[in-house]
Amino acid sequence: MIRVQREDFDVGAELKALTQGRHEIGGVVSFVGLVRDMAGDAKIGAMTLEHYPGMTEKQLGEIEAEALRRWPLAGSLIIHRYGRLEPGEQIVLVITASAHREAAFEACHFLIDWLKTKAPFWKLEDTDKGAQWVAAESRDDKAAARWVKK
Amino acid sequence: MIRVQREDFDVGAELKALTQGRHEIGGVVSFVGLVRDMAGDAKIGAMTLEHYPGMTEKQLGEIEAEALRRWPLAGSLIIHRYGRLEPGEQIVLVITASAHREAAFEACHFLIDWLKTKAPFWKLEDTDKGAQWVAAESRDDKAAARWVKK
Amino acid sequence: MKILWFAWLRTRVGSAEESLTPPPDVRDVRGLLAWLKTRSPGHAEALKNLDVVRVAVNQTYVQADHPVAAGDEVAIFPPVTGG
Amino acid sequence: MKILWFAWLRTRVGSAEESLTPPPDVRDVRGLLAWLKTRSPGHAEALKNLDVVRVAVNQTYVQADHPVAAGDEVAIFPPVTGG
């Protein structure tokens, strides 16, 4: 499942909804991304997440479908927020559930790595040194490249 | 932090408590282990988790300390339940928080892998074929062995 | 053709969306970007370094040799930074 | 010396905890297990295959050559299956 929304999300409620009554699930892995208060040596007051409505959902759906092809998942969820967010606020949630923990760990890690390099979101940070668009990081490209099938 | 308890836990509340006001945290990974309703082809009615009070907390503490030595974590939590649990109930929670997601993913995965082979817990399953003690799985030994430093 | 600009490309171009009719010799993404560059100093500045420009046609990532046609939605943006 | 039995070792021995005074020639874990085997058919059955027996002395995992002494808490259990 994919949700792109301005509102915050409740991780506990989402975990419960995904696993409720699904007694074949043995392991659930979740990742929550939070707004940090520092970018290098600049202090962040807030950030604004811009996205591409339509393509964002499409890309996230394709990334999730790829995870479901690669791992035997009993369920998965991606929620990504947009708009203005302050330090400490939740940005993104990825949950994967499977009979065994190995598949859940790998699929969750894959989803956030691919999302970071493929889903059309852009971060504008308000810092004490002015507003700046966040630059893509080469380590994110490397993290995503690990999952490209040889 | 380590907790060994009979009672259930609230993942959302634990996540919030661990990250509240900690604006250097960028990524939080959690693992929840649940009771499954099947063991091979036997249907599970319930399971009872036995442990070794004292040594269990000591072992979990050592495993957590090892994770804190290996990865730059801003916080970590292990909760493991004991006593009688039914299918769908939560058994174990591992949360790791870090500035970057890579450390959080690796440390969380390490903690559950090591916990499975080192923390003194034993599962007795009530199945439709009678009560049976769960046997250790060689795949758990292999998963744990990945983290042994060469 | 609908052109969508995002993030710092949008701020340089000064517009989030343009409805344009490129000349008939613009047949692919490479030709479209070359033509867009000529439209204003802001466009030229935005498209100065194509290494940091990504293009999606009808919401799918494409390469420079991908064809573009009259009814297409063409999005132009920097490398993504969500998550 | 306090001996603690867990899981199916406990059910075979028929007791979770025993307070015992091994003979003076029992100096290490190996010797202790050999002596415990002789105490009852249940003990012998529990300790039949030492490949599936783990030992902790004073709540720390140890090997067969680890010394044991009068005041020790010795726990004997199968491979763990939590998580």
Side-chain angles (χ1 to χ4, degrees):
Chain A
M1 278 182 303
I2 300 296
R3 298 218 301 270
V4 179
Q5 61 189 44
R6 189 180 289 273
E7 314 82 58
D8 197 9
F9 47 80
D10 178 335
V11 180
E14 298 298 343
L15 275 171
K16 192 161 285 182
L18 197 70
T19 57
Q20 196 82 48
R22 303 285 306 279
H23 295 171
E24 79 279 22
I25 295 174
V28 185
V29 174
S30 70
F31 174 80
V32 180
L34 302 167
V35 181
R36 287 191 294 149
D37 58 3
M38 295 296 287
D41 58 352
K43 195 158 172 55
I44 297 175
M47 71 156 61
T48 304
L49 264 153
E50 179 173 335
H51 77 300
Y52 180 179
M55 183 169 170
T56 304
E57 291 81 354
K58 182 170 178 283
Q59 280 293 312
L60 291 178
E62 287 177 14
I63 293 167
E64 185 183 47
E66 180 63 25
L68 292 167
R69 269 192 296 275
R70 292 191 187 198
W71 289 279
L73 300 181
S76 61
L77 172 68
I78 303 174
I79 302 178
H80 203 302
R81 296 175 68 190
Y82 60 89
R84 187 175 181 282
L85 301 174
E86 296 187 355
E89 280 200 77
Q90 302 184 125
I91 305 170
V92 60
L93 171 66
V94 178
I95 308 181
T96 52
S98 187
H100 299 286
R101 72 185 182 285
E102 212 55 48
F105 265 108
E106 289 190 8
C108 186
H109 205 160
F110 164 85
L111 284 168
I112 186 67
D113 281 351
W114 268 33
L115 182 162
K116 283 220 167 226
T117 59
K118 290 178 195 289
F121 288 98
W122 302 273
K123 285 179 184 145
L124 178 65
E125 292 173 341
D126 269 336
T127 80
D128 55 358
K129 300 178 179 177
Q132 55 192 25
W133 288 98
V134 174
E137 296 202 48
S138 64
R139 75 167 159 216
D140 283 332
D141 288 332
K142 277 183 207 136
R146 281 192 306 143
W147 302 102
V148 174
K149 287 190 168 168
K150 300 296 185 299
Chain B
M1 279 182 301
I2 300 297
R3 296 218 304 270
V4 179
Q5 63 189 44
R6 190 182 287 274
E7 314 78 62
D8 197 10
F9 47 81
D10 177 336
V11 180
E14 299 298 343
L15 276 170
K16 192 162 285 180
L18 197 70
T19 57
Q20 195 83 48
R22 304 285 306 280
H23 296 171
E24 80 278 24
I25 295 173
V28 184
V29 174
S30 71
F31 174 81
V32 180
L34 303 167
V35 181
R36 287 189 295 150
D37 58 1
M38 295 296 288
D41 57 353
K43 197 160 170 53
I44 296 174
M47 72 157 58
T48 304
L49 264 153
E50 182 174 333
H51 77 299
Y52 180 178
M55 182 170 171
T56 304
E57 291 81 354
K58 183 172 177 283
Q59 280 293 312
L60 292 177
E62 287 177 14
I63 294 167
E64 186 184 46
E66 179 64 24
L68 292 166
R69 270 192 295 276
R70 293 191 185 196
W71 289 279
L73 301 181
S76 61
L77 173 67
I78 303 174
I79 301 179
H80 203 301
R81 295 175 69 192
Y82 61 89
R84 186 175 180 281
L85 301 173
E86 296 187 358
E89 281 199 76
Q90 302 183 128
I91 305 169
V92 60
L93 170 66
V94 178
I95 308 181
T96 52
S98 188
H100 299 288
R101 71 186 182 285
E102 212 56 48
F105 265 108
E106 289 191 7
C108 188
H109 205 159
F110 164 84
L111 284 169
I112 185 66
D113 280 353
W114 269 34
L115 182 162
K116 284 221 165 228
T117 59
K118 291 179 195 290
F121 288 98
W122 302 273
K123 285 179 185 145
L124 177 64
E125 292 173 341
D126 268 337
T127 79
D128 55 358
K129 298 177 180 177
Q132 54 192 26
W133 288 97
V134 174
E137 296 202 50
S138 63
R139 76 166 160 219
D140 284 331
D141 289 331
K142 276 183 207 136
R146 279 193 307 144
W147 302 101
V148 174
K149 288 189 167 167
K150 300 293 185 295
Chain C
M1 189 179 297
K2 188 157 81 170
I3 311 290
L4 303 177
W5 302 94
F6 290 96
W8 54 261
L9 289 168
R10 173 175 52 72
T11 58
R12 288 191 192 167
V13 167
S15 166
E17 181 172 339
E18 300 180 281
S19 275
L20 300 174
T21 307
D25 62 323
V26 166
R27 291 194 190 86
D28 60 14
V29 167
R30 184 178 291 107
L32 176 66
L33 293 175
W35 176 69
L36 285 168
K37 263 190 195 178
T38 67
R39 292 191 35 87
S40 82
H43 286 74
E45 175 67 18
L47 298 172
K48 198 171 55 178
N49 176 9
L50 293 181
D51 285 348
V52 289
V53 168
R54 304 287 177 267
V55 178
V57 172
N58 300 323
Q59 308 193 349
T60 298
Y61 285 105
V62 297
Q63 300 297 318
D65 57 357
H66 190 276
V68 292
D72 285 344
E73 173 177 300
V74 179
I76 307 175
F77 48 77
V80 303
T81 58
Chain D
M1 188 181 295
K2 190 157 80 170
I3 310 291
L4 303 176
W5 301 95
F6 290 95
W8 53 262
L9 288 169
R10 172 176 53 71
T11 59
R12 287 190 193 167
V13 167
S15 168
E17 182 173 338
E18 299 179 281
S19 275
L20 299 174
T21 307
D25 63 320
V26 167
R27 291 194 189 85
D28 61 12
V29 167
R30 186 180 290 109
L32 177 65
L33 294 175
W35 176 70
L36 286 168
K37 262 190 196 178
T38 66
R39 293 192 34 87
S40 81
H43 285 74
E45 175 66 19
L47 298 173
K48 199 170 56 180
N49 176 9
L50 294 180
D51 284 351
V52 289
V53 168
R54 303 288 178 266
V55 178
V57 172
N58 301 324
Q59 307 193 350
T60 299
Y61 285 104
V62 298
Q63 299 297 316
D65 57 357
H66 191 275
V68 292
D72 285 345
E73 174 177 301
V74 180
I76 306 175
F77 48 76
V80 305
T81 57

Tab-separated table of all heavy atoms in Angstrom, chain B residues 79-100:
chain	number	residue	atom	x	y	z
B	79	ILE	N	12.816	-5.243	23.904
B	79	ILE	CA	11.814	-5.768	24.832
B	79	ILE	C	11.544	-7.214	24.418
B	79	ILE	O	11.300	-7.485	23.232
B	79	ILE	CB	10.491	-4.977	24.778
B	79	ILE	CG1	10.721	-3.500	25.118
B	79	ILE	CG2	9.468	-5.582	25.746
B	79	ILE	CD1	9.443	-2.663	25.044
B	80	HIS	N	11.621	-8.135	25.371
B	80	HIS	CA	11.306	-9.538	25.059
B	80	HIS	C	10.318	-10.039	26.105
B	80	HIS	O	10.520	-9.845	27.291
B	80	HIS	CB	12.580	-10.391	25.083
B	80	HIS	CG	12.459	-11.650	24.285
B	80	HIS	ND1	11.504	-12.616	24.535
B	80	HIS	CD2	13.171	-12.099	23.226
B	80	HIS	CE1	11.649	-13.605	23.669
B	80	HIS	NE2	12.641	-13.328	22.857
B	81	ARG	N	9.240	-10.650	25.636
B	81	ARG	CA	8.232	-11.166	26.559
B	81	ARG	C	8.512	-12.616	26.929
B	81	ARG	O	9.240	-13.325	26.242
B	81	ARG	CB	6.842	-11.052	25.919
B	81	ARG	CG	6.432	-9.619	25.695
B	81	ARG	CD	5.115	-9.548	24.957
B	81	ARG	NE	4.008	-10.025	25.786
B	81	ARG	CZ	2.786	-10.289	25.337
B	81	ARG	NH1	2.527	-10.152	24.044
B	81	ARG	NH2	1.836	-10.685	26.155
B	82	TYR	N	7.903	-13.068	28.035
B	82	TYR	CA	7.917	-14.489	28.396
B	82	TYR	C	6.504	-14.859	28.825
B	82	TYR	O	5.619	-14.005	28.899
B	82	TYR	CB	8.946	-14.768	29.506
B	82	TYR	CG	8.686	-14.029	30.787
B	82	TYR	CD1	7.878	-14.571	31.782
B	82	TYR	CD2	9.250	-12.774	31.019
B	82	TYR	CE1	7.631	-13.879	32.971
B	82	TYR	CE2	9.001	-12.079	32.200
B	82	TYR	CZ	8.185	-12.635	33.168
B	82	TYR	OH	7.937	-11.958	34.325
B	83	GLY	N	6.305	-16.154	29.075
B	83	GLY	CA	4.976	-16.621	29.482
B	83	GLY	C	4.181	-17.126	28.293
B	83	GLY	O	4.738	-17.406	27.235
B	84	ARG	N	2.855	-17.217	28.464
B	84	ARG	CA	1.996	-17.821	27.444
B	84	ARG	C	1.555	-16.783	26.417
B	84	ARG	O	1.071	-15.710	26.782
B	84	ARG	CB	0.764	-18.421	28.135
B	84	ARG	CG	-0.122	-19.211	27.190
B	84	ARG	CD	-1.259	-19.888	27.967
B	84	ARG	NE	-2.111	-20.651	27.060
B	84	ARG	CZ	-3.053	-20.106	26.280
B	84	ARG	NH1	-3.242	-18.810	26.305
B	84	ARG	NH2	-3.767	-20.874	25.475
B	85	LEU	N	1.733	-17.098	25.150
B	85	LEU	CA	1.379	-16.171	24.066
B	85	LEU	C	0.585	-16.915	22.997
B	85	LEU	O	0.893	-18.066	22.677
B	85	LEU	CB	2.642	-15.582	23.433
B	85	LEU	CG	3.590	-14.800	24.357
B	85	LEU	CD1	4.861	-14.428	23.608
B	85	LEU	CD2	2.896	-13.553	24.875
B	86	GLU	N	-0.379	-16.226	22.414
B	86	GLU	CA	-1.192	-16.842	21.359
B	86	GLU	C	-0.793	-16.325	19.976
B	86	GLU	O	-0.152	-15.280	19.873
B	86	GLU	CB	-2.674	-16.551	21.633
B	86	GLU	CG	-3.125	-17.208	22.930
B	86	GLU	CD	-4.622	-17.092	23.170
B	86	GLU	OE1	-5.329	-16.455	22.350
B	86	GLU	OE2	-5.077	-17.655	24.191
B	87	PRO	N	-1.147	-17.060	18.919
B	87	PRO	CA	-0.812	-16.593	17.569
B	87	PRO	C	-1.246	-15.146	17.340
B	87	PRO	O	-2.330	-14.747	17.769
B	87	PRO	CB	-1.593	-17.562	16.670
B	87	PRO	CG	-1.575	-18.835	17.448
B	87	PRO	CD	-1.761	-18.411	18.895
B	88	GLY	N	-0.389	-14.389	16.701
B	88	GLY	CA	-0.649	-12.974	16.447
B	88	GLY	C	-0.098	-12.071	17.536
B	88	GLY	O	0.051	-10.866	17.313
B	89	GLU	N	0.209	-12.633	18.720
B	89	GLU	CA	0.742	-11.777	19.790
B	89	GLU	C	2.195	-11.393	19.516
B	89	GLU	O	2.939	-12.127	18.873
B	89	GLU	CB	0.642	-12.492	21.147
B	89	GLU	CG	-0.750	-12.438	21.744
B	89	GLU	CD	-0.727	-12.718	23.248
B	89	GLU	OE1	-0.328	-11.831	24.014
B	89	GLU	OE2	-1.101	-13.842	23.636
B	90	GLN	N	2.591	-10.261	20.067
B	90	GLN	CA	3.959	-9.773	19.933
B	90	GLN	C	4.879	-10.497	20.921
B	90	GLN	O	4.540	-10.643	22.092
B	90	GLN	CB	4.003	-8.271	20.205
B	90	GLN	CG	3.097	-7.467	19.270
B	90	GLN	CD	3.172	-5.969	19.471
B	90	GLN	OE1	3.388	-5.243	18.513
B	90	GLN	NE2	2.995	-5.494	20.693
B	91	ILE	N	6.044	-10.932	20.429
B	91	ILE	CA	7.032	-11.621	21.278
B	91	ILE	C	8.169	-10.686	21.654
B	91	ILE	O	8.585	-10.621	22.796
B	91	ILE	CB	7.666	-12.831	20.543
B	91	ILE	CG1	6.610	-13.805	20.033
B	91	ILE	CG2	8.676	-13.528	21.446
B	91	ILE	CD1	7.179	-14.861	19.086
B	92	VAL	N	8.704	-9.999	20.636
B	92	VAL	CA	9.944	-9.260	20.829
B	92	VAL	C	9.913	-7.967	20.017
B	92	VAL	O	9.301	-7.913	18.938
B	92	VAL	CB	11.153	-10.150	20.411
B	92	VAL	CG1	11.066	-10.564	18.954
B	92	VAL	CG2	12.489	-9.478	20.703
B	93	LEU	N	10.543	-6.945	20.562
B	93	LEU	CA	10.686	-5.661	19.860
B	93	LEU	C	12.138	-5.230	19.934
B	93	LEU	O	12.749	-5.274	21.009
B	93	LEU	CB	9.809	-4.602	20.538
B	93	LEU	CG	10.019	-3.145	20.074
B	93	LEU	CD1	9.603	-2.969	18.617
B	93	LEU	CD2	9.215	-2.176	20.961
B	94	VAL	N	12.705	-4.861	18.800
B	94	VAL	CA	14.050	-4.280	18.765
B	94	VAL	C	13.943	-2.957	18.027
B	94	VAL	O	13.402	-2.917	16.920
B	94	VAL	CB	15.059	-5.195	18.037
B	94	VAL	CG1	16.430	-4.534	17.977
B	94	VAL	CG2	15.156	-6.551	18.710
B	95	ILE	N	14.406	-1.877	18.639
B	95	ILE	CA	14.417	-0.572	17.954
B	95	ILE	C	15.832	-0.016	17.996
B	95	ILE	O	16.507	-0.080	19.028
B	95	ILE	CB	13.484	0.457	18.623
B	95	ILE	CG1	12.074	-0.108	18.813
B	95	ILE	CG2	13.408	1.740	17.800
B	95	ILE	CD1	11.108	0.902	19.460
B	96	THR	N	16.279	0.518	16.868
B	96	THR	CA	17.575	1.203	16.814
B	96	THR	C	17.381	2.538	16.115
B	96	THR	O	16.660	2.636	15.126
B	96	THR	CB	18.606	0.385	16.021
B	96	THR	OG1	18.036	0.046	14.759
B	96	THR	CG2	19.013	-0.868	16.767
B	97	ALA	N	18.033	3.574	16.638
B	97	ALA	CA	17.906	4.922	16.075
B	97	ALA	C	19.296	5.480	15.835
B	97	ALA	O	20.202	5.291	16.649
B	97	ALA	CB	17.151	5.822	17.043
B	98	SER	N	19.460	6.154	14.686
B	98	SER	CA	20.770	6.701	14.353
B	98	SER	C	20.600	7.936	13.473
B	98	SER	O	19.506	8.222	12.985
B	98	SER	CB	21.592	5.629	13.624
B	98	SER	OG	22.921	6.062	13.445
B	99	ALA	N	21.676	8.680	13.288
B	99	ALA	CA	21.618	9.827	12.387
B	99	ALA	C	21.292	9.350	10.972
B	99	ALA	O	20.526	9.992	10.253
B	99	ALA	CB	22.953	10.583	12.406
B	100	HIS	N	21.863	8.205	10.568
B	100	HIS	CA	21.668	7.706	9.201
B	100	HIS	C	21.098	6.288	9.221
B	100	HIS	O	21.348	5.522	10.137
B	100	HIS	CB	22.990	7.749	8.450
B	100	HIS	CG	23.530	9.137	8.334
B	100	HIS	ND1	22.974	10.089	7.511
B	100	HIS	CD2	24.535	9.758	8.992
B	100	HIS	CE1	23.623	11.226	7.632
B	100	HIS	NE2	24.582	11.048	8.539
